[in-house]
Amino acid sequence: MRPKTLIVLASFCLLSAAHPLWGQEPEAPLRYQLDLREPATHLVRVTMQIPGWTRGGEIQFPAWNNLYQIRDFVRDVQDLTAACDGKPASLSRVDLETWSYSNPCSELTLHYEVYANQPGPFSAELDLHHAFLNFALLLFYLPKDRARPIRVRLLLPQGWKLATLLDAGPEPGEFQAVNYDRLADSPAEAGQFSEYDYKQRGASYRVIVDADPEDYSAPKLLKALKRITATETALMREVPFKRYTFIFDFPHSGVAGGMEHADGTAIYIPADRTRSSLAAVEAVAAHEFFHLWNVKRIRPQALEPIDYVHGNDTRDLWFSEGVTSTYGELTLLRSELISRREFFDHLASEIQQLRSRPARFYQSVVAAGRDAWLEKYPDYFRPERSISYYNKGELLGDLLDLGIRHATGNRESLDDLMRRLNRDFAEKGRFFTESDLRVIVHRLAPGFPAEEFFRNDVDGTKPLDFAGYLAYAGLELRTNQVQAPDLGFHSLMSFGGRVRVESVDPASASARAGLQPGDVLIKMNGTYLTVLPDEQLAGMKPGDEVVFSVERNGRDYEVTFPLGAKSAVRYEVDEMKQMSSAQHSILRGWLEGKTESAAGAAN
Ligand SMILES: [Zn+2]
């Protein structure tokens, strides 16, 4: 996938790993066998075979993967033993994640178990119902030889099927990856899922759904996915894969999230949010599918090579995540999965969200990306501590698009920027830096004040000029003073974690109803909470009753109270009554994904 790095690593491997004494080819694949046949124990029993073990070699276990959080996956590894050419070998612990073995062997074999009992697209889970596996949470790598090719075999419980992003290997029942990074980027689902597929523009799409058939409409899901993949491949003017796999899980619990991979994605949405509408699924799918370009192929230099132990500096997340959200929303609109009104309302709510966080005055969006590593701590999410790089990054994507269109008479756009990054970096196997991005923006739209944009809006904390940018497209941002519903308490959640009440206003109805700091909120009005309850108040008004399912000291409670009222500013985005033809042209181009230079051509 990244030819340049592979060549560097491969030549390093030839120098370091060859060991003529033992007659092994340096590129002999590492073999892993994962035995899932006792799912009730949650234990994945792993055998790893390492041909050509050299004196003093090391094995290492990742501390992070998927989420920008050091999660120390080694915590779930138990009963590690080794054999050197069949004889017991005692490994030495080098540090928390690393072991070494001093003697050479023609084959070193490891046996160990991993406790896999965390649901969700970022984790590894084995239970009686199914398995969802991210291999970096399960498998050791060779820290000095991560470019080694890999073969994987899975032993499944009776009656289970397997879907994996890995390619089939040369032997029956075997899968392969060119190296460990690719293995880590290729999750697997095992169990009794439903499977659908479709072909589009020469590629095949597999749709794996682990869900109760009552909980979703398969025809509606496929129809939406076809529109999303058609819109985004048309936008990028390419289909850079032969096969793409969507893995969906609609659990009867509160687990939610989506994780992108180069040729697929894993998406969990609670079933109580998929039964009546697939809007949540569509929004996540549109975001994750765009990631196959933005972050997987159009990849910041800072994310490579992956440091599985210490993490990587993530100063580009406003672009890699935020602008992916920009395209998630534009894709829903351009695929006619949402209306113009819904698009404008979403934009207004994103502006509202940014303006509700005092940290916007002192934390730049670049700093928020670098601080992503703190997202495992719920208190990091206090509005006074942090902003969201998803939120501000998505808005910056919109502003950049409008700014480029305005500066070029709607002849260039953010779409052209993404295509140019794809052509100049992804297709050449190069990673981009922040200065590459600045140069491309400047070349694309010399009249756009790129330097100020990056200094003030990306690296700085100057308030964003929404009114100015929106006016380029004949839109205005209106504010109304309203009586908004008030929960009467503050809550926080870590990324992918649970909602915890931090403080309760003693004069509020929630306090009178018995809500306490430290309570964990599981459901709101019967629906699993996957975002803060404050973000679930749309369409509600003061006086409306809310019901929370609460967990406190291991016991479950229900707390019911009427919403209070507070004075708040509500934002609205609307079209101006009078628009110039330039404004009309930018608005239409932006919403439909067109420019003047490509007028008539499909997207
Ligand atoms: Zn994302």
Side-chain angles (χ1 to χ4, degrees), residues 260 287-288 291 320-321 324 390:
E260 70 276 7
H287 174 102
E288 302 305 338
H291 266 316
S320 296
E321 284 297 350
T324 298
Y390 286 91

Side-chain angles (χ1 to χ4, degrees), residues 76 85 104 108 130 143 204 211 217 294 367 396 488 497 501 523 542 587 595:
D76 289 319
D85 295 328
L108 186 74
H130 84 146
S204 64
S217 155
N294 199 24
L396 286 177
V501 176
K523 289 185 180 186
L587 180 64
T595 55

Side-chain angles (χ1 to χ4, degrees), residues 136-155:
L137 280 68
L138 300 164
L139 302 177
F140 279 96
Y141 57 86
L142 307 183
K144 291 178 183 142
D145 201 3
R146 263 179 28 211
R148 265 295 272 266
I150 281 164
R151 303 278 165 80
V152 179
R153 195 176 281 280
L154 289 109
L155 306 179

Side-chain angles (χ1 to χ4, degrees), residues 366-565:
V366 167
R370 295 185 101 160
D371 281 346
W373 296 94
L374 300 174
E375 289 176 350
K376 63 179 173 180
Y377 304 110
D379 40 333
Y380 170 74
F381 286 89
R382 286 180 306 114
E384 296 77 18
R385 172 63 182 90
S386 61
I387 61 164
S388 159
Y389 49 82
Y390 286 91
N391 169 231
K392 188 173 177 183
E394 175 179 341
L395 291 166
L396 286 177
D398 288 324
L399 300 194
L400 190 55
D401 204 349
L402 295 172
I404 292 172
R405 287 175 188 273
H406 176 71
T408 60
N410 200 33
R411 299 189 73 79
E412 305 285 351
S413 68
L414 187 68
D415 302 354
D416 295 292
L417 174 67
M418 297 312 299
R419 289 191 285 257
R420 202 165 288 201
L421 281 168
N422 200 40
R423 187 193 69 195
D424 292 354
F425 293 91
E427 287 174 11
K428 293 183 176 151
R430 296 166 60 204
F431 308 120
F432 76 95
T433 63
E434 212 173 79
S435 69
D436 292 326
L437 186 61
R438 286 169 197 239
V439 168
I440 293 184
V441 171
H442 179 70
R443 282 195 191 139
L444 204 62
F448 174 74
E451 202 180 307
E452 281 99 311
F453 176 82
F454 281 98
R455 187 179 57 235
N456 297 332
D457 303 338
V458 175
D459 270 321
T461 54
K462 209 173 156 196
L464 300 182
D465 178 17
F466 293 113
Y469 279 96
L470 288 172
Y472 296 156
L475 296 172
E476 56 191 358
L477 181 66
R478 290 201 212 109
T479 55
N480 303 309
Q481 204 70 37
V482 294
Q483 282 298 94
D486 184 19
L487 288 162
F489 65 86
H490 289 286
S491 58
L492 294 171
M493 74 189 294
S494 60
F495 198 112
R498 310 208 296 172
V499 179
R500 197 181 74 204
V501 176
E502 291 297 300
S503 60
V504 182
D505 175 358
S508 69
S510 58
R512 285 194 297 278
L515 202 71
Q516 295 178 9
D519 284 349
V520 173
L521 305 181
I522 310 293
K523 289 185 180 186
M524 176 174 173
N525 295 337
T527 303
Y528 280 106
L529 275 170
T530 55
V531 293
L532 289 177
D534 312 68
E535 294 168 37
Q536 297 281 74
L537 294 175
M540 302 189 79
K541 52 186 193 309
D544 285 353
E545 200 158 83
V546 282
V547 184
F548 284 98
S549 308
V550 177
E551 206 179 279
R552 182 187 305 155
N553 300 328
R555 293 182 62 187
D556 297 330
Y557 299 84
E558 214 160 70
V559 176
T560 305
F561 58 90
L563 289 168

Side-chain angles (χ1 to χ4, degrees), residues 36 154 156 160-164 175 188-191 193 195 206:
L36 311 180
L154 289 109
L156 303 181
W160 282 27
K161 300 186 284 185
L162 180 72
T164 171
F175 296 90
E189 166 82 30
F193 46 79
E195 189 165 0
R206 283 191 305 170

